[in-house]
Each structure stands twice: as C-alpha cells, then as structure tokens.
Amino acid sequence: MISQILFAIALGVAIYFFGRAISKIRRNILLGKDLIFTGTPKDRMVTMLKVAFGQTKMSARPIPAVLHFIVYAGFLIINIEVLEIIIDGLFGTHRVFAFLGPVYNFLIGSFEILAFLVFVACVIFLIRRNTLKIKRFFGREMTAWPKSDANYILIIELLLMGAFLKMNAADYLLQGMGADHYVKAGSYPISSWLVAPLMSGLSEGALIMIERGAWWFHILGILAFLNYLPYSKHFHIVMAFPNTYFSNLKSKGALTNMASVKKEVELMMDPNADPYAVPAPDANAEPQRFGAKDVQDLNWKQLMNAYTCTECGRCTDECPANKTGKLLSPRSIMMDTRDRLEEVGKNIDANKGVFVDDGKGLVHDYISKEELWACTTCNACTEACPINIDPLSIIIDLRRYLVLEESAAPQELNMMSTNIENNGAPWQFSQSDRLKWATED
Amino acid sequence: MSVNVKTIAEMKAQGESPEILFWVGCAGSFDDRAKKITKAFAQLLDKAEVKYAVLGTEESCTGDPAKRAGNEFLFQMQAFSNIQVLNMYDVKKIVTTCPHCFNTLKNEYPELGGKYEVLHHSQFLQQILEDGRLTIEGGSFKGKKITFHDPCYLGRGNGIYEAPRALIEKLDSEMVELKRSRANGLCCGAGGAQMFKEAEPGAKEINIERTEEALEVQPDIIAAACPFCNTMMTDGVKHFEKESKVKVYDLAELVAKAADLK
Ligand code: SF4
Ligand code: SF4
C-alpha cells in the first residue's frame, strides 16, 4: 500500500512538472508573431508522417539513420510497457496484462529484443560521438553543455534499457522458482540468457530486491527523463511532429513578402491609393518594427523551430559559409534563438508575466552581423535538416532589421541598393543602356 | 555579332503579342560574360522561330539581391514597378536565363499582383527541343566531358534538376556528375547578394571550394545555368590556372554551339 501511494505521488509530481515546463514552452513559442500557412491539412499530415514518423530525410547518412531508427522505434515501442508499469504501480498488481497470454509473451519478447538493440545502438553512438572525430559534433557552438546534453541522453537510455532487462531477468528467475506474486508470463529471449546467469544462485529475497529495485529505477528514470526533455536537445522527440506538420510547403527559393512593407509601398507608389483608408496610428500601439531584432519579432514557427532543433549539425555541415571557415553556423542560429527565447521566458516569469526590457536582443547580443552577412541564402541548411527547420528565414528577418531599422548593411550592399534605386541594376549602368547587348559585337 | 530583337513596346505597337517575354536580367544586360549567354539564347529563339520580345529599357532589376540583403522596401518598390510594366503589356509567359530572376518572378511576384507563367531557359529549351521546334546536332561535343553545377535557386530553390541534364544529354557528350549535385549541390558563393560584397573572413572563398570539386572530375566543360554561377566558376578556374583546359559555359551557349550558331 505504501509503495502504491509513493508511486502515485511520484507519477503526479512528474506529470505536474512536465506539464508546467510544456506550458511555459508553449507560452514562449506563442510570443512569436502569427503567420499564414499554405497547403492543406492533408499535405501537412503527409509531410509529418514522412519526415517525422518515417524519418525520410535521415537517409542521407545511412549509418546513423539505421542506428537512430532503432533507438527511436525501440524507445517508442518499449514505452508501451510503461503503461503496464503505471497500472501495476497504482493498483499493486504485477504484470497486469499477463492475461493476454501468447500476445503478452510476444510483446515482452519483442520489447526485450528492441531494448537490446537500443542498448547496442546507444553504445555505438556514445563511442562514435566521443572518439571518432566527426566534425559536426564539434564546432564553435558545441560548448560544454550541448556536448554533455548529448552524452547524458545516451547514458540515460543505456541505464533505462539496462534496468528493463535486469528487471525482466530477475522476474524470469522468480517465475521459475514459483515465487509468490510472480505469475508465469512473458517471454525473455534476451534477459534469460544474457542477464539472468549473472544472478544465478541468488535467494528469492535477493531476487525480489533486484526485481523491485530495477522496476523502481526504470519507472523513476523514465519520469525523470520526461522532465529532462524540455531542457534538452532531446525535446525533438516531441517537437519533431508538430514542427514537420508546420513545414514550409512552398518552393524553398521563395522568401516571404513583408505585409507591413507592402502597405507602405502601395501608399507610396500607387497614385490611386487613398491615404485616409489607413486608420490613424494608435498612439498607444507598440511602434512597429521592420524585421526581427529579438525573438518576439520572429514568428511562432521560427520559435517552434528553435525548440525542435536537435543540434545534430547537419545544416552546418552542409553550409558553404561554414565549410569555408566563416563564423556563420545555421545550427548556432537555432541554438542562439532558443537560448534567447528561454532568457526572455525567464524574464517574463520573474516579472509577473510581462517582459521587462533587458537592453538585449537576439541580434548583436546573440547573433552577430558577421554571421548574418555570410549567408548565401543557398538553402543547403533547410535541405539538410532532418526535421525541416529553417535557419535561413531567421537570418533573413535579422538582416531585414539590420537594414531597415539600423541601416547597418555592409557598405558594398548599400552601394548596390543605391544603384538599384537609381539605375534599376545592382551595378552602375544606366537603364537606358539595357538593350545595348543586342547591337554590340 | 548583333541580334535582332524586338521590344514588347514595338511589338504591341504593331498590334502583335509575343509568345514569350525574354527577361534578360541585370547580369544578362550589363555583364560582359553574361551578355554572351543572352545573345546565345536570343539566337536560339530566333532559330526556333519563337516569337519573343524583351522589355528593353523598360526592364529593371527584379529586386532579388535587395530582398536577400534585407532591403525589403527596395525589393517591393522594384516589384511594384516591374509588375506595372508587365501587366500593362499583358504579359502571360516569361522566360529568363537567370535563376534568381526566375525564382523572384515565379515565387515572389504573384502575391504582389504579378501572376505569370515563368520558365527558366533550360526548361524552355528542353520544351522546344522536344517539340521539334529546335533541332541540334550535338556532334561537336563528341568525346567531351561535361559536368553540371546546380544553381541553388534552380535546384534546391525550385526543384529543377532534370531540364539542365536533359539538355546536356542531347549534346552527345559524356556527362559526369559532381560529388555534390542536385539537392546536395554546393553553392557557388554568389547568392544572397554575396556577389556584390567581399566575403566575411574565413579560410577560403566558396567559389574556390566549389571549383575544386568540379576540377576533381576532370571535365572539359563546366556547364552553368546562372550568370552568377558562371562568373564564380570562371574565376575559380582562373584561380587554378586551368582556363586553357577547362571552359565554363552556360547551357544556352552549349545548345547554341550544337545548333551551329557559333
Ligand atoms: S542558406 Fe545560409 S545558413 Fe543556410 S546553408 Fe546556405 S549559407 Fe549556410
Ligand atoms: S537545424 Fe536541423 S540540421 Fe541543423 S542542427 Fe538543428 S536539427 Fe540539426
């Protein structure tokens, strides 16, 4: 009875804190501006199923793709077991689904095989990440925390899978002894030969201790892991789904047309425009800003992107600027956006729900001009991202702010703009010479 | 050699309408290297008896580099006036030799009131070759190794990978793919208004990196489909002092050669 109460408390606390973290993230994402989506819900669903569920974009790099798929599918499926654990924990039952008979045997059997595969994959991942010099796991933005984060996740998964197999092994032995409470159920294709021999000769009491210990460790570990997610790059296991659902379905080459600019240009250029059709500016309204200086100026999709990024570095690996030694790294753009958004969120929490200006912004304080101006808008990053994140759109919005609000474009680009304004071409040629090519030799 | 082109104003004055409007673009109008591409394409249109017109002095920058440099105001002003001109002449179909103009006209103008059918010249050439309106020999390229550099705004930007390759196939040459091609193609370094500024500090210029990759496959010809890529790759080849061995040509120039126009 006591253990049931303890279990209920642990479960309640874990769910409460997870819910709180999620609602904060939701609030942070919704600090972003609204945006218009194209494409039908069906198209979006298909994209999500393909890219997030089917992991189609991972196939560009086959070895990690296979390992990743094992960890992903394994972890997902094994978590069905968590349902049983929760029911057992709350009601004091043991292997409550055992009545399913052969189906149950099959399920537990496959969970074991998957758990073993996940274990092996995580070991390979750990070795690969820490001993092979894979370029994308290093780089400027991969400071101490992101590096440890990646290792923590793999280690936690190892521990969880280990506990799962240990629990099963002890259970298997207890079943063999005909111990009370341990009904004969499940099949143990891995733990019976790999783990159980390590426990041979132990008394029933010791085995029960091991089984209970592993059971508690497994479920408490899962609850702790759940609460680690929102602070980790591993949050992508949740966010990949909504994020790909809201993928950009237009041609990658298209940039958005700023609606605020459109209005002004029409007023300026169109002789028929009625200047009075625009309502007088509201004195209390926040002054409108062109482009993005801070995270609140981005749209919520871009902010959702930031929480989805798994810091894999595939974007940076393909980025021509980064490849040739420039400061720009699209992964860093995403990580900086998330860090700044978290900071803004904490600011709001500390100030009773309103953001108090801290004199900082995403541009300059987190992302430098040098990074922003190095981008060739080539879309290699958006193509490479396995979960359809778009660092380029953030780069463009920050550039817009630099140019339209700070007039801080590089000198050569100012000259280019002046040329376009005066001659209708980025170079100093006269528009009246546009047809000369046809008559020259 | 001069080419006989009609402006759309002249054509409309005679009460006629073109089948296509050839959008020449700023590079195509002013850059010495790109002007050759413009001419080659115009000659092909002539040979295929395509009724085409240009805007001539009424054409102005699409605004692509301004937009990508963050100057949305300037972009939308350019778009506004270009759309006014295009709509005034009731333009229906545009073909352009520049993937940047192509992308902007096709993807960014519709929302601002400019709705046209827009084709890149590789697509249009493929069409008229398949329709039999244009015929080429292709024999002059026998034994030549040609590789193709995918322009970002044609490939990744708009998913056009096949049309350029279909043209090269018709040349009777050996087509070799670059290590990074199609959706994985590496940028030449010119996009996003980089063409008009010095690169940020780094270890290397992007065009050098890309040219290095292209030279690895030991081509006789690097085929480009964008005037800016053309400049970048040409500079890259010069950097490696390979200009006597490796030539950089636009697809239009290759087809024009095969059609015995040069
Ligand atoms: S679009 Fe910009 S950030 Fe993305 S890969 Fe290309 S150069 Fe890098
Ligand atoms: S943006 Fe995408 S590709 Fe880049 S690090 Fe994040 S998840 Fe990986």
Short mmCIF file of all heavy atoms in Angstrom, two decimals, chain A residues 42 53 83 121 129 134 136 163 186 239 281 315 408:
data_model
loop_
_atom_site.label_atom_id
_atom_site.label_comp_id
_atom_site.label_asym_id
_atom_site.label_seq_id
_atom_site.Cartn_x
_atom_site.Cartn_y
_atom_site.Cartn_z
N LYS A 42 -4.10 17.94 -45.23
CA LYS A 42 -3.70 16.62 -45.71
C LYS A 42 -2.23 16.63 -46.13
O LYS A 42 -1.46 15.75 -45.74
CB LYS A 42 -4.59 16.21 -46.88
CG LYS A 42 -4.33 14.78 -47.31
CD LYS A 42 -5.28 14.33 -48.43
CE LYS A 42 -4.58 13.31 -49.29
NZ LYS A 42 -4.22 13.80 -50.61
N PHE A 53 7.70 10.81 -38.77
CA PHE A 53 7.43 9.42 -38.43
C PHE A 53 8.31 8.46 -39.24
O PHE A 53 8.91 7.54 -38.70
CB PHE A 53 5.94 9.13 -38.68
CG PHE A 53 5.41 8.02 -37.85
CD1 PHE A 53 5.27 8.17 -36.48
CD2 PHE A 53 5.05 6.81 -38.43
CE1 PHE A 53 4.79 7.13 -35.71
CE2 PHE A 53 4.56 5.78 -37.66
CZ PHE A 53 4.43 5.94 -36.30
N LEU A 83 2.94 1.70 -19.76
CA LEU A 83 1.52 1.70 -19.42
C LEU A 83 1.25 0.61 -18.38
O LEU A 83 0.57 0.84 -17.36
CB LEU A 83 0.71 1.43 -20.70
CG LEU A 83 -0.80 1.56 -20.55
CD1 LEU A 83 -1.18 3.00 -20.24
CD2 LEU A 83 -1.49 1.08 -21.83
N ALA A 121 22.85 0.23 -29.91
CA ALA A 121 22.92 1.45 -30.72
C ALA A 121 23.45 2.61 -29.89
O ALA A 121 24.27 3.41 -30.36
CB ALA A 121 21.55 1.77 -31.30
N ARG A 129 30.36 9.39 -31.00
CA ARG A 129 30.33 10.80 -30.68
C ARG A 129 31.58 11.25 -29.94
O ARG A 129 32.06 12.37 -30.13
CB ARG A 129 29.08 11.10 -29.83
CG ARG A 129 28.89 12.54 -29.45
CD ARG A 129 27.56 12.75 -28.75
NE ARG A 129 26.44 12.85 -29.68
CZ ARG A 129 26.04 13.99 -30.23
NH1 ARG A 129 26.69 15.11 -29.99
NH2 ARG A 129 25.00 14.01 -31.03
N ILE A 134 34.14 13.28 -35.62
CA ILE A 134 33.13 13.70 -36.58
C ILE A 134 32.92 15.20 -36.43
O ILE A 134 32.54 15.69 -35.37
CB ILE A 134 31.83 12.90 -36.35
CG1 ILE A 134 32.12 11.43 -36.65
CG2 ILE A 134 30.71 13.43 -37.24
CD1 ILE A 134 31.01 10.49 -36.34
N ARG A 136 30.88 17.50 -37.28
CA ARG A 136 29.69 18.22 -36.85
C ARG A 136 29.40 18.09 -35.35
O ARG A 136 28.52 18.77 -34.81
CB ARG A 136 28.48 17.82 -37.69
CG ARG A 136 28.00 16.41 -37.53
CD ARG A 136 26.91 16.11 -38.55
NE ARG A 136 26.71 14.69 -38.69
CZ ARG A 136 25.76 14.01 -38.06
NH1 ARG A 136 24.95 14.62 -37.26
NH2 ARG A 136 25.64 12.71 -38.25
N ALA A 163 18.08 -1.40 -16.91
CA ALA A 163 17.16 -1.69 -15.81
C ALA A 163 16.02 -2.56 -16.28
O ALA A 163 15.58 -3.49 -15.58
CB ALA A 163 16.64 -0.38 -15.22
N GLY A 186 5.07 -13.77 -20.00
CA GLY A 186 6.11 -13.11 -20.78
C GLY A 186 7.12 -14.10 -21.30
O GLY A 186 7.22 -15.24 -20.82
N MET A 239 8.85 17.50 -30.36
CA MET A 239 8.60 18.63 -31.25
C MET A 239 8.69 18.29 -32.74
O MET A 239 8.16 19.02 -33.57
CB MET A 239 9.60 19.75 -30.94
CG MET A 239 9.44 20.35 -29.56
SD MET A 239 7.78 20.92 -29.25
CE MET A 239 7.73 22.35 -30.32
N PRO A 281 -2.55 56.20 -36.87
CA PRO A 281 -1.80 55.33 -35.96
C PRO A 281 -2.26 55.52 -34.52
O PRO A 281 -2.49 56.63 -34.06
CB PRO A 281 -0.35 55.79 -36.16
CG PRO A 281 -0.40 57.08 -36.88
CD PRO A 281 -1.71 57.14 -37.60
N CYS A 315 22.94 20.76 -40.81
CA CYS A 315 22.82 22.03 -41.53
C CYS A 315 24.19 22.70 -41.65
O CYS A 315 24.62 23.09 -42.73
CB CYS A 315 21.84 22.95 -40.81
SG CYS A 315 22.19 23.14 -39.05
N ALA A 408 22.31 49.21 -41.19
CA ALA A 408 23.63 48.67 -40.88
C ALA A 408 24.07 47.59 -41.86
O ALA A 408 24.67 46.60 -41.47
CB ALA A 408 23.65 48.13 -39.46
#
